[in-house]
Amino acid sequence: MRFIKNTVQEKTLKKEFISGIFLLVAIFGFSILADSALADDSKAGPQPGLKPLDESGAMQIGSQDRCPVCAMQVSKHKKFACAIQFIDGRTYYFCGTGCMIRSWMHPEIFLGAAKEKLKRTVVQDYFTGEQVPGESVYWVAGSDVIGPMGPALVPLENEQHLTVFKKRHGAKMVFRLSEMTDEKWRQLTGKQAASNQ
């Protein structure tokens, strides 16, 4: 009888000991994670692309580049990928034109920078795929084209492309990037441009 009693006590002690070890490991592990997260402020917020635009102004999207607005992997959305270049050369890549336009309008929210720090945008003409300045294209809203984040804002390099696109895909509104306002964004999307949603 005494032997059985010790065995039960030993099993209980072993369970308590193992539970204590698991608790210590969990506390130690969480403290390491918390320390590393707090210690590395250099990676807080959106990160620019691993490579900036090349000398010709072409995008150099890598597999690790993430959209600073929605965190999608940009390389998986090549047809709609676009960029904003800063004056200092840093370049942010976007999964689609909607995320890029919101960041162009409100860089303080989405890129952590003042508008004066932005140099230019680079988008792809819908038909040719040619990389062109987003400031010079015609933008079409309200077509049947769907991008990574839903209904696409489509860049078209010239009036001929615009005419053909409207016949094929429709268009509720055509605008230039310089004409985009918070009110126009709200009309197009039903959402706030400055909202992080």
Side-chain angles (χ1 to χ4, degrees):
M1 183 79 163
R2 197 168 208 214
F3 177 73
I4 294 174
K5 198 176 203 180
N6 284 342
T7 305
V8 170
Q9 286 175 344
E10 285 176 4
K11 285 182 179 180
T12 303
L13 285 173
K14 282 182 182 178
K15 284 182 182 179
E16 288 176 5
F17 178 75
I18 291 171
S19 295
I21 295 292
F22 278 123
L23 182 61
L24 285 173
V25 167
I27 291 170
F28 183 70
F30 283 121
S31 68
I32 289 173
L33 287 173
D35 286 345
S36 66
L38 293 173
D40 192 6
D41 281 345
S42 67
K43 293 196 177 181
Q47 296 298 303
L50 293 178
K51 294 181 179 180
L53 299 179
D54 70 13
E55 290 179 13
S56 71
M59 294 184 281
Q60 300 187 85
I61 298 167
S63 62
Q64 294 181 2
D65 293 329
R66 298 268 177 187
C67 176
V69 177
C70 67
M72 281 195 203
Q73 189 175 352
V74 178
S75 62
K76 290 187 176 182
H77 306 284
K78 289 183 180 180
K79 179 155 183 72
F80 294 96
C82 45
I84 293 177
Q85 183 184 42
F86 277 50
I87 292 169
D88 66 10
R90 286 180 296 153
T91 303
Y92 288 85
Y93 296 110
F94 299 86
C95 68
T97 55
C99 289
M100 188 216 62
I101 290 173
R102 290 176 72 195
S103 297
W104 184 256
M105 293 171 63
H106 296 285
E108 69 284 355
I109 294 172
F110 300 107
L111 305 176
K115 185 127 177 125
E116 298 76 35
K117 303 272 186 188
L118 308 183
K119 181 177 180 180
R120 63 178 166 169
T121 62
V122 176
V123 299
Q124 299 176 77
D125 176 81
Y126 181 78
F127 288 124
T128 67
E130 184 179 344
Q131 295 183 23
V132 294
E135 298 83 356
S136 68
V137 300
Y138 293 96
W139 290 92
V140 176
S143 73
D144 64 359
V145 175
I146 303 298
M149 297 291 287
L153 298 173
V154 179
L156 298 157
E157 187 177 11
N158 57 49
E159 287 187 36
Q160 180 184 9
H161 290 180
L162 177 61
T163 301
V164 172
F165 182 89
K166 287 165 89 175
K167 286 179 184 174
R168 291 182 186 173
H169 301 283
K172 290 183 181 169
M173 185 183 294
V174 177
F175 62 93
R176 298 289 193 155
L177 191 57
S178 61
E179 299 168 344
M180 181 53 73
T181 63
D182 286 336
E183 182 55 34
K184 188 172 281 193
W185 182 268
R186 194 173 14 263
Q187 290 172 356
L188 293 174
T189 67
K191 299 176 183 177
Q192 301 280 339
S195 171
N196 208 359
Q197 296 177 350

